Amino acid sequence: MRQALRQLDIQTRGKGLTEITRDVAAFVSGEAISTGLLTLFCQHTSASLLIQENADADVQKDLAAFFERIAPEDAALYAHNAEGLDDMPAHIRAALTQVQLSIPVASGAMTLGAWQGIYIFEHRRAPHRRAVILHLLGE
Amino acid sequence: MRQALRQLDIQTRGKGLTEITRDVAAFVSGEAISTGLLTLFCQHTSASLLIQENADADVQKDLAAFFERIAPEDAALYAHNAEGLDDMPAHIRAALTQVQLSIPVASGAMTLGAWQGIYIFEHRRAPHRRAVILHLLGE
Amino acid sequence: MRQALRQLDIQTRGKGLTEITRDVAAFVSGEAISTGLLTLFCQHTSASLLIQENADADVQKDLAAFFERIAPEDAALYAHNAEGLDDMPAHIRAALTQVQLSIPVASGAMTLGAWQGIYIFEHRRAPHRRAVILHLLGE
């Protein structure tokens, strides 16, 4: 049984989903671990991780629109706005999704379903450089 | 330290919660691992995993009603409806819950609280066969 | 490779966030595991775990207010109210956040981002004693 640890740095384009499935899969296949557990950890409170459908781009647009409706950029709603109107909605959207994902590894690859892609979900308007820690354990 | 991997196939009855606690517990006890970490991973983007109260069935009805209110089946709200009106709400409800759960194992059993049950949360109207990967690591 | 298991008992003050970062960090540093995976598991269905910004207290107030709006204490909305008006909203809020978190460990410490704190999110009005299981695996 052994472990591997890597930091993935992702450049986002502002609000929305950036797929990282290939980057994560490359890390896993490079480690030559047949069976194990992969954990992704996003080191931020205004960006998060999401597994979603990777087939139709409309899913991503509808998801983004949903989070705009549920946690709108409305100054009247929040006391915390130090970094702008998108600041507090970003924290709420991160709380509603998650900053960590663990995925079993079998036959040297993540056990993702046929339609599942891994995304970093940027909640700030401006592009950001986001760090995701990858931890792999297995043999 | 060793690992065990199994695919659990669950037949859902359409929208709502299906408890899988017993199936998962049977896998754990069968592996004779005293201390470890169990991970469940749902291979879908329109069904998810949830730990909830297993005592009063009203909790499940109220939960389902909440998710209908927050992400309603309303054609005006979504661009993605390739598979019907319940398609995009299903993706949103999966995003708001999670497709992965990790639970420590102690004394050969999951460390669930007294009122916690593990559920697969079907978000589509039609019954589906859902795959949940179980990964257990420990000794 | 070895494991450590501990139960953390946290006294909450009723609804809101209680930071547990220090308690968890103390457990990790006490185990002298350099590289590994830490898992926190909350044994309740009306309290949950959250990673959020630990700098501005307004973030916590705004988060609490958001969850009051999205899952209000409104008797007309819920069938399940055996333990009071805050009972069912508590289950919904726990479902929207999570009861489990896994965090990679590097150089003997959790790989939390600069602004990330770990919180237990109490969803009941009354203070409760909450159990969080900590599982650490590594070497």
Side-chain angles (χ1 to χ4, degrees):
Chain A
M1 198 81 66
R2 61 185 187 82
Q3 302 180 91
L5 205 56
R6 170 123 19 124
Q7 179 172 328
L8 204 63
D9 292 304
I10 310 289
Q11 182 63 45
T12 70
R13 292 155 299 181
K15 280 188 181 185
L17 301 176
T18 298
E19 187 162 11
I20 59 171
T21 315
R22 280 187 195 188
D23 307 87
V24 180
F27 165 70
V28 172
S29 67
E31 290 300 326
I33 278 178
S34 175
T35 302
L37 183 67
L38 172 75
T39 298
L40 297 85
F41 184 79
C42 173
Q43 292 188 307
H44 306 278
T45 61
S46 55
S48 53
L49 297 169
L50 202 59
I51 286 186
Q52 265 297 326
E53 181 178 311
N54 57 5
D56 180 359
D58 277 344
V59 171
Q60 301 179 30
K61 286 179 201 163
D62 286 344
L63 260 178
F66 169 80
F67 282 99
E68 292 293 331
R69 282 195 300 275
I70 202 175
E73 290 195 8
D74 178 345
L77 291 175
Y78 314 111
H80 175 79
N81 49 23
E83 296 180 42
L85 217 53
D86 60 333
D87 189 358
M88 194 59 218
H91 292 305
I92 292 171
R93 294 166 196 189
L96 290 174
T97 49
Q98 62 265 313
V99 294
Q100 171 263 321
L101 281 172
S102 292
I103 306 171
V105 168
S107 306
M110 294 183 282
T111 58
L112 289 173
W115 307 104
Q116 289 183 317
I118 309 173
Y119 296 87
I120 186 157
F121 196 174
E122 175 62 66
H123 302 300
R124 301 302 307 273
R125 287 186 191 172
H128 279 75
R129 193 165 179 80
R130 300 300 196 175
V132 176
I133 305 295
L134 305 179
H135 175 268
L136 179 59
L137 175 72
E139 62 188 350
Chain B
M1 197 82 65
R2 63 187 187 80
Q3 302 178 93
L5 204 57
R6 170 126 15 126
Q7 179 172 329
L8 205 63
D9 291 305
I10 309 288
Q11 183 62 46
T12 69
R13 292 155 299 182
K15 280 188 182 186
L17 301 175
T18 299
E19 186 162 11
I20 60 171
T21 316
R22 279 188 196 188
D23 307 86
V24 180
F27 165 69
V28 172
S29 68
E31 290 299 327
I33 278 179
S34 175
T35 303
L37 183 67
L38 172 76
T39 298
L40 298 86
F41 184 79
C42 173
Q43 291 188 307
H44 306 278
T45 61
S46 55
S48 52
L49 297 169
L50 203 58
I51 287 186
Q52 266 296 327
E53 181 178 310
N54 59 3
D56 180 0
D58 278 342
V59 170
Q60 301 179 31
K61 286 178 201 162
D62 286 344
L63 260 177
F66 168 80
F67 282 99
E68 291 294 331
R69 282 196 300 273
I70 201 174
E73 288 193 11
D74 178 347
L77 291 174
Y78 315 111
H80 176 80
N81 49 23
E83 296 181 41
L85 217 53
D86 60 334
D87 190 357
M88 194 59 218
H91 292 305
I92 292 171
R93 294 165 196 188
L96 290 174
T97 47
Q98 61 265 312
V99 294
Q100 170 263 323
L101 279 173
S102 292
I103 306 171
V105 168
S107 306
M110 294 182 282
T111 57
L112 289 173
W115 307 105
Q116 288 183 317
I118 308 173
Y119 296 87
I120 187 156
F121 195 174
E122 176 62 68
H123 301 300
R124 301 302 306 272
R125 286 185 190 172
H128 279 76
R129 193 166 179 78
R130 300 301 195 175
V132 177
I133 306 295
L134 306 179
H135 174 268
L136 178 58
L137 175 72
E139 64 188 350
Chain C
M1 197 83 65
R2 62 185 188 80
Q3 302 179 92
L5 205 55
R6 169 114 32 113
Q7 179 172 328
L8 205 63
D9 292 304
I10 309 289
Q11 182 63 46
T12 69
R13 291 154 300 181
K15 279 189 182 183
L17 301 176
T18 299
E19 187 162 11
I20 60 172
T21 315
R22 280 188 195 187
D23 306 86
V24 180
F27 165 69
V28 173
S29 67
E31 289 301 326
I33 278 178
S34 175
T35 302
L37 184 67
L38 173 75
T39 298
L40 297 86
F41 184 80
C42 173
Q43 292 188 306
H44 307 278
T45 61
S46 56
S48 52
L49 296 169
L50 202 59
I51 286 186
Q52 266 296 328
E53 180 178 311
N54 58 5
D56 180 0
D58 278 343
V59 171
Q60 301 180 31
K61 287 178 201 162
D62 286 343
L63 261 178
F66 168 80
F67 282 99
E68 291 294 330
R69 282 196 300 274
I70 202 175
E73 289 193 9
D74 177 347
L77 292 175
Y78 315 110
H80 175 80
N81 50 22
E83 297 181 41
L85 217 52
D86 60 335
D87 189 357
M88 194 58 217
H91 291 305
I92 292 171
R93 295 167 196 188
L96 290 174
T97 49
Q98 61 266 312
V99 295
Q100 170 263 320
L101 280 173
S102 292
I103 306 171
V105 168
S107 306
M110 294 182 281
T111 57
L112 290 173
W115 307 104
Q116 289 183 315
I118 308 172
Y119 296 87
I120 186 156
F121 196 174
E122 175 62 68
H123 302 299
R124 303 300 308 270
R125 287 187 190 171
H128 279 76
R129 193 165 179 80
R130 300 300 194 176
V132 177
I133 305 296
L134 306 179
H135 174 269
L136 179 60
L137 176 71
E139 64 188 348

